[in-house]
Amino acid sequence: MKATPESLRAIAKKVLVASPAPQTEVSVDASADSWLRFAAGTVSTSGSVERVSLRVTVAYGTRTGTARTEDVSPDGLVRAVRQAADLAKILPPSPEYMAPVPPQRYPIAASAWDGATAASSAASRAAIAAACLDAAKAAGLVAAGFHQVSESASAFVNSAGASGVHRATSASLECTLRTPDGAQSGWAGAYSPRLASIDAAAVAKRAADKATRWKEPVALAPGRYTAILEPAAVEPLLGYVLGSLDRRDADDGTSPFSAADGKTRIGEAMFTEKLSLVCDPADKAIPGSPFAEDGLAAKRFVAVDKGTLVALPVSRYWAKQKKLEVSADAGNWSLTFADPDPKGVEGLIASTERGILVTRIWYVRMLSPQNLTVTGLTRDATFLVENGQVTSAIKNFRINQSLLEMFKNVAGASAPAPFPAGDGWLGIPALKVNDLNFSSISDAV
Amino acid sequence: MGSYAPRVRRRDWLKIAGAGSLVAAVPAKVLAAPGRLGEVADAALAAARAAGATYADIRLVRTRSERLGTRDDHLTSASTSESFGAGVRVLVKGTWGFAGTQDVTVAGAKAAAAKAVEIARANARLRTEPVVLAALTPVKDTWQTPMTKDPFRVPLARKLEILFDVNRRARAGGAPVANVRGRMQAVSEEKLFVSSEGAEIDQTIVRVSPGYTVTVAAKGDFESRDHSSPAMGLGFEYVESLKLADDAARVADEAHQKLLAPPVEPGEKDLVLLPSHLWLTIHESIGHSTELDRAFGYEANFAGTSFATFPQTGKLRYAGDHVTFYGDRTTAGALATAGWDDDGVPTERWDIIKNGVLVDWQTTREQAAWIGAAKGHACSYADSWASVPFQRMPNVSLAPATTPNSVEQLIGGVQDGVLVEGTGSYSIDQQRLNFQFGGDMAWEIKGGQKGKPVRHAACQSTSTSFWNALDALGGPATWQMGGSMYDGKGEPMQVNPVSHGCPASRFRRIRVLDSRGGS
């Protein structure tokens, strides 16, 4: 990638200089994404894109406007900041506008960037795809998948003197292997800030094992079962919890974390006591961002501590209104279990007398925001577990499940691993959950 | 049909794009040399050919958007954005390569072409069969969304006035309103497509998306009700025609009714589904299941495959004889409507399910060869200059009855059922078979009459059994469009704006569940 964090900061400072407004905030982001897609046993589309984007917010008092552009030429910067200023001048005051934050000491995000990953080539991407395609062919399966390598950099400056930079890399490989008749399917994936951590052969082998073992699935009666959810099944469910964590909504009475008496449920035991939900910019395994809202320095934030809801994220505006502390989280939420199983998914299977192993869950949607009930479907290899072992392939299920209930019923977990979410990472474990509601059978493969 | 702006020519494309609005930031490099865009395109295509490409195209795309957000009586967000760049696509040894660049200069275009060729070469050994493109007569032409009021020229104050009026009127009726969240978005997609075969197509596509949500709260419980106003491929005249504020008191009152309503009684029931709800079921169960790339496994890793297979063409019965679904990228006002697709193929209308039977698919120029067709149905789309065009859903719609059946007539034929309006929760499996859909608002139907509101109603079914249970279509007067700006598919994921028109429709004996109970 041509852009560097410092070159982006230089662009941002030019915007600051060009701003006619008393209050200005500028962020500049650059990314270089290269990807390769394969399907039906062959390469399909593949590409590479570099882009820079700029966001400038200006304010006159509480009159504010924001402009975004990808034109970072000298003239383009001036146009963008003038555009934001024009907006600010003609729009009514925004009482929720918060002035630029003062200078900050940003935490150093751990292990977010890797030079070898940033230097990957078209040939290396083709080699990774070839490993999946070849493994599928050898197993008599048809491969589909996606491999992407990305580098990003960002800079932030404001008129109050705050300024910071950040850079990161990421690599991912997902592989779905199916039998030629479409009757069997297995999926596996790997994600890391470092390309060298992606073991294509291992991913392909896991997907092939799943597809091969998921043969002639039987219909298990819908009902409540112990579930072993692999990380790809946990992530979309946890996402709905994370999306509901907001102090203002809880205070307004429009959140599952609102109490009936107009208060919040902070202080209530809401998860099983071994679970915690933490965001920490110093997390070495799950990289976070040094910047929080409006360029605040990210800091450690605990939402759930040993099962108890101890805090909800608070915006700068709401903190001011309610005299609360701003949460300023780093975005790298991690779900941790007090005594994770050292053998991971295999350990969770081994400790289960009867249950269902779920590879991934798809199309999760909210059914009831009042109690966080969601629906979604299992896919790409679902198995019955009996006496500590996978014993048979079973048909896919739709789940209809309250997540508040589910996180109370967590009986075991692996250690969290990096899982991509938006532009950042989440720490997602595999979970063993009692009494998960598998509501109807899905015949989909 | 009256068009707001004059037809755009290649050389003045950028001048029009930059005219007179707050989102008019035009790249200086190009403005400084207005005739250079053609040189940029020509340079990319020549560089690709010289490097060994047998086919190449370039899309120069500018996307502009304006977004306003309000909460209650004040503005919470106001932003404009602009994206501009070029995407170069090549075929080398029958293998695709792509590179996107923001450096829209001759040098930048050459570099992007070289990178696209490098990628295609690196991947060629992985390609089992060469890509074959259907024959196409290249054209030089233009197209623009017909509209009478350019949303980018409407003062922001006018847009905010509408949203603030919504808040005032939502709060006037006594419902325990917790908040009123308003939104107003306008997007303009301007693109110049030039191919090595000689195509040169300018298009400007404009879309608007207005709406609001009223949330009520009481006694530790809350509910929301949306104004069911779909995004459309139209100008601001559409936003004004909605009279959003006139409905605000009703929307707030219905949110309150919803909060107080008893949960639906689960069981097998008849359903009368209004177009504001049914469009999404069409999208998920008909639209996605008839995408040819899914049927051939090209989305197996992400969006999924399809329960429908190509050998079932002409045989698979989706519904009764009275039911016909068609693809149409020419429907006036629809989100996927354009003059040409992103392969340069002219858009058209065709039947996908005719008299209840699967007869055709959504296809691109490349996919025509997969099924021995002479041409594709113009379903190629890329959501920005940085994205690779691939098969995306056209507007897929359900034809109305030829008789003038009203909603009341449909309800009159139901003894025990549910009437559903608007979209709520929706989820469908990766082969587009098992689905569960909720609405924004539901009422019970008893003895042929619309009754009291019910809460947490969702229907659960499978695609073919659901559509085969459709026993009565509403007439043309009940036909309306719904749609989404953000249909996701592909890796990296792209979004596709798409509309679906349908009449009110009646379904017999569908499983209805209380979604909050989770069973």
Side-chain angles (χ1 to χ4, degrees), chain A residues 270-294:
Chain A
M270 301 201 70
F271 288 7
T272 186
E273 64 183 7
K274 290 186 177 180
L275 276 181
S276 295
L277 191 53
V278 180
C279 218
D280 187 350
D283 191 325
K284 289 183 178 166
I286 319 294
S289 167
F291 311 135
E293 180 194 4
D294 294 346

Side-chain angles (χ1 to χ4, degrees), chain B residues 265-345:
Chain B
E265 184 183 326
E268 283 205 344
K269 294 176 185 293
D270 294 346
L271 301 176
V272 175
L273 305 180
L274 299 178
S276 59
H277 172 83
L278 190 58
W279 73 266
L280 187 52
T281 312
I282 293 170
H283 175 85
E284 301 288 9
S285 65
I286 304 293
H288 281 310
S289 71
T290 56
E291 292 178 304
L292 193 66
D293 56 354
R294 286 176 176 271
F296 276 66
Y298 276 69
E299 286 289 332
N301 185 60
F302 176 55
T305 57
S306 175
F307 68 87
T309 62
F310 182 70
Q312 292 174 312
T313 310
K315 301 170 193 163
L316 180 61
R317 179 161 285 282
Y318 268 75
D321 288 344
H322 56 302
V323 175
T324 291
F325 291 95
Y326 56 93
D328 189 359
R329 293 196 67 188
T330 68
T331 306
L335 291 166
T337 293
W340 287 265
D341 77 348
D342 283 346
D343 291 340
V345 177

Side-chain angles (χ1 to χ4, degrees), chain B residues 401-407 409 473-478:
Chain B
T402 51
T403 52
N405 290 347
S406 67
V407 173
Q409 284 173 301
L473 291 163
T478 73

Side-chain angles (χ1 to χ4, degrees), chain A residues 92, chain B residues 70-75 157-175 177 179-182 212-214 244-253:
Chain B
T70 58
R71 182 175 177 134
D72 306 329
D73 60 355
H74 59 269
L75 181 71
R158 169 72 185 124
K159 295 165 182 166
L160 289 173
E161 176 191 324
I162 293 172
L163 297 179
F164 291 152
D165 196 22
V166 164
N167 175 63
R168 278 191 295 273
R169 292 164 77 167
R171 290 174 178 280
V177 174
N179 57 64
V180 180
R181 297 181 196 232
Y212 59 90
T213 304
V214 178
L244 292 168
D246 288 356
D247 293 332
R250 174 185 60 80
V251 171
D253 180 57

Side-chain angles (χ1 to χ4, degrees), chain B residues 234-257:
Chain B
L234 291 168
F236 200 74
E237 71 280 0
Y238 164 67
V239 178
E240 291 182 326
S241 75
L242 290 170
K243 301 190 185 311
L244 292 168
D246 288 356
D247 293 332
R250 174 185 60 80
V251 171
D253 180 57
E254 288 181 352
H256 194 199
Q257 289 182 39

Side-chain angles (χ1 to χ4, degrees), chain A residues 43 79 83 96 252 363 437, chain B residues 22 26 71 74 127 284 518:
Chain A
V43 61
R79 264 195 301 276
Q83 199 170 47
E96 298 191 19
D252 276 353
Y363 224 128
N437 183 27
Chain B
L22 279 168
V26 178
R71 182 175 177 134
H74 59 269
R127 186 80 203 174
E284 301 288 9

Side-chain angles (χ1 to χ4, degrees), chain B residues 45-83:
Chain B
L45 301 181
R49 274 192 297 257
T54 52
Y55 170 86
D57 60 38
I58 180 169
R59 285 173 305 107
L60 296 132
V61 184
R62 178 199 321 285
T63 305
R64 297 180 295 150
S65 73
E66 176 193 277
R67 293 168 192 258
L68 295 175
T70 58
R71 182 175 177 134
D72 306 329
D73 60 355
H74 59 269
L75 181 71
T76 51
S77 62
S79 67
T80 66
S81 70
E82 178 183 297
S83 167

Side-chain angles (χ1 to χ4, degrees), chain B residues 99-442:
Chain B
T101 182
Q102 290 172 308
D103 184 6
V104 188
T105 62
V106 167
K110 284 182 177 176
K115 176 152 271 194
V117 169
E118 176 196 345
I119 289 168
R121 282 196 194 287
N123 295 341
R125 70 183 178 89
L126 307 178
R127 186 80 203 174
T128 51
E129 297 285 338
V131 170
V132 176
L133 299 178
L136 177 68
T137 303
V139 299
K140 298 186 179 185
D141 210 337
T142 64
W143 189 90
Q144 177 154 358
T145 299
M147 60 181 174
T148 57
K149 199 171 273 191
D150 184 344
F152 292 97
R153 294 177 186 243
V154 174
L156 295 171
R158 169 72 185 124
K159 295 165 182 166
L160 289 173
E161 176 191 324
I162 293 172
L163 297 179
F164 291 152
D165 196 22
V166 164
N167 175 63
R168 278 191 295 273
R169 292 164 77 167
R171 290 174 178 280
V177 174
N179 57 64
V180 180
R181 297 181 196 232
R183 55 193 177 272
M184 193 83 74
Q185 182 185 3
V187 179
S188 165
E189 187 184 10
E190 302 151 47
K191 52 190 168 188
L192 173 62
F193 170 86
V194 185
S195 78
S196 58
E197 297 172 336
E200 195 176 296
I201 299 168
D202 287 339
Q203 299 196 87
T204 301
I205 302 167
V206 174
R207 303 179 178 100
V208 290
S209 179
Y212 59 90
T213 304
V214 178
T215 300
V216 296
K219 298 178 182 173
D221 201 358
F222 61 96
E223 269 295 358
S224 295
R225 174 84 165 113
D226 277 328
H227 187 271
S228 303
S229 44
M232 295 288 280
L234 291 168
F236 200 74
E237 71 280 0
Y238 164 67
V239 178
E240 291 182 326
S241 75
L242 290 170
K243 301 190 185 311
L244 292 168
D246 288 356
D247 293 332
R250 174 185 60 80
V251 171
D253 180 57
E254 288 181 352
H256 194 199
Q257 289 182 39
K258 195 173 165 185
L259 180 70
L260 301 175
V264 70
E265 184 183 326
E268 283 205 344
K269 294 176 185 293
D270 294 346
L271 301 176
V272 175
L273 305 180
L274 299 178
S276 59
H277 172 83
L278 190 58
W279 73 266
L280 187 52
T281 312
I282 293 170
H283 175 85
E284 301 288 9
S285 65
I286 304 293
H288 281 310
S289 71
T290 56
E291 292 178 304
L292 193 66
D293 56 354
R294 286 176 176 271
F296 276 66
Y298 276 69
E299 286 289 332
N301 185 60
F302 176 55
T305 57
S306 175
F307 68 87
T309 62
F310 182 70
Q312 292 174 312
T313 310
K315 301 170 193 163
L316 180 61
R317 179 161 285 282
Y318 268 75
D321 288 344
H322 56 302
V323 175
T324 291
F325 291 95
Y326 56 93
D328 189 359
R329 293 196 67 188
T330 68
T331 306
L335 291 166
T337 293
W340 287 265
D341 77 348
D342 283 346
D343 291 340
V345 177
T347 56
E348 62 180 357
R349 171 176 170 158
W350 73 104
D351 287 338
I352 295 174
I353 293 165
K354 188 172 185 180
N355 298 331
V357 175
L358 173 70
V359 294
D360 206 345
W361 297 80
Q362 302 162 49
T363 56
T364 65
R365 188 182 178 193
E366 175 185 353
Q367 292 171 332
W370 300 1
I371 56 174
K375 66 181 189 67
H377 288 303
C379 293
S380 178
Y381 178 75
D383 67 359
S384 83
W385 59 266
S387 300
V388 182
F390 73 123
Q391 190 255 297
R392 298 311 309 262
M393 196 186 298
N395 308 303
V396 174
S397 296
L398 170 61
T402 51
T403 52
N405 290 347
S406 67
V407 173
E408 290 70 27
Q409 284 173 301
L410 297 177
I411 291 172
V414 173
Q415 287 304 308
D416 176 24
V418 179
L419 171 70
V420 184
E421 183 190 87
T423 57
S425 178
Y426 54 99
S427 173
I428 190 164
D429 70 41
Q430 76 276 13
Q431 290 195 304
R432 303 286 149 175
L433 200 57
N434 176 310
F435 67 70
Q436 183 171 304
F437 281 35
D440 187 49
M441 188 84 191

